């Protein structure tokens, strides 16, 4: 499995101190270059701890930095409201035939329209549990931590997550 991470999941997984656990997931993990700049370079200037963590994991080779191909980038750059980082996340996922890890509904709509497989932060939490990286009880704990730190989630999604945890 190949995963391409957008900024929001990286930031919140970093803030909740579980990003290092994500590196234990099977498969390749990519960060688009513009996402890296947004999360790490900007974050380091602002003194954000999660930025230093992402930088360290990249330097250890646990995440690979990938630049979006120009042809594919051009296609996504023409879409209004799409940031450069979001466009590159989709471009890298499309090029690598990977799953884009994105949480924003607008970005998911674009991914779907372009035949790009996508999932979100909740998928990653359940995937870590399935691969025995975290316990069942940790899913809710990590989700609650992310929400407490500002990650947005509808009440419907939250209720759905609680139901799925019970089914495990």
């Amino acid at each position: 499995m190949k995963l391409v991470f957008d900024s929001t999941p990286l930031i919140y997984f970093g803030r909740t101190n579980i990003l290092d656990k994500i590196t234990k997931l099977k498969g390749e993990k990519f960060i688009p270059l513009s996402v890296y700049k947004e999360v790490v370079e900007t974050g380091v200037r602002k003194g954000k701890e999660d930025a230093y963590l992402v930088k360290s994991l990249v330097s250890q080779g646990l995440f690979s930095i990938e630049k979006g191909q120009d042809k594919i980038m051009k296609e996504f750059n023409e879409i209004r409201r799409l940031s450069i980082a979001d466009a590159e996340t989709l471009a890298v996922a499309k090029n690598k035939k990977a799953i884009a890890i994105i949480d924003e509904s607008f970005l998911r709509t674009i991914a779907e329209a372009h035949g790009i497989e996508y999932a979100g932060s909740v998928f990653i939490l359940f995937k870590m549990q399935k691969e025995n990286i975290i316990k069942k009880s940790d899913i809710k704990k990590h989700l609650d931590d992310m929400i407490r730190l500002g990650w947005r989630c509808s009440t419907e999604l939250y209720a759905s997550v609680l139901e799925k945890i019970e089914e495990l």
Side-chain angles (χ1 to χ4, degrees), residues 150-163:
W151 186 79
R152 295 193 182 158
C153 162
S154 70
T155 53
E156 292 84 4
L157 175 60
Y158 190 79
S160 172
V161 169
L162 294 181
E163 286 176 17

Side-chain angles (χ1 to χ4, degrees), residues 108-121:
R108 289 172 173 225
T109 300
I110 295 168
E112 195 168 314
H114 287 83
I116 298 168
E117 189 175 356
Y118 65 87
S121 296

Side-chain angles (χ1 to χ4, degrees), residues 119-136:
S121 296
V122 170
F123 166 83
I124 295 297
L125 292 173
F126 278 99
K127 187 72 175 155
M128 287 193 298
Q129 185 275 329
K130 186 176 182 179
E131 292 186 20
N132 296 312
I133 297 166
I134 64 172
K135 293 181 271 179
K136 173 182 163 178

Side-chain angles (χ1 to χ4, degrees), residues 75-164:
E75 175 183 345
F76 290 115
N77 281 331
E78 293 173 357
I79 300 171
R80 293 181 192 244
R81 293 183 39 216
L82 201 59
S83 73
I84 292 169
D86 290 341
E88 193 164 31
T89 298
L90 295 175
V92 171
K94 186 173 186 173
N95 182 51
K96 294 283 186 186
K97 294 180 178 53
I99 302 170
I101 305 302
I102 51 181
D103 289 331
E104 295 81 6
S105 60
F106 174 68
L107 200 50
R108 289 172 173 225
T109 300
I110 295 168
E112 195 168 314
H114 287 83
I116 298 168
E117 189 175 356
Y118 65 87
S121 296
V122 170
F123 166 83
I124 295 297
L125 292 173
F126 278 99
K127 187 72 175 155
M128 287 193 298
Q129 185 275 329
K130 186 176 182 179
E131 292 186 20
N132 296 312
I133 297 166
I134 64 172
K135 293 181 271 179
K136 173 182 163 178
S137 60
D138 290 335
I139 297 170
K140 182 181 181 305
K141 178 199 173 304
H142 293 312
L143 185 63
D144 288 344
D145 288 346
M146 289 170 57
I147 291 169
R148 184 179 44 78
L149 292 166
W151 186 79
R152 295 193 182 158
C153 162
S154 70
T155 53
E156 292 84 4
L157 175 60
Y158 190 79
S160 172
V161 169
L162 294 181
E163 286 176 17
K164 286 181 183 175

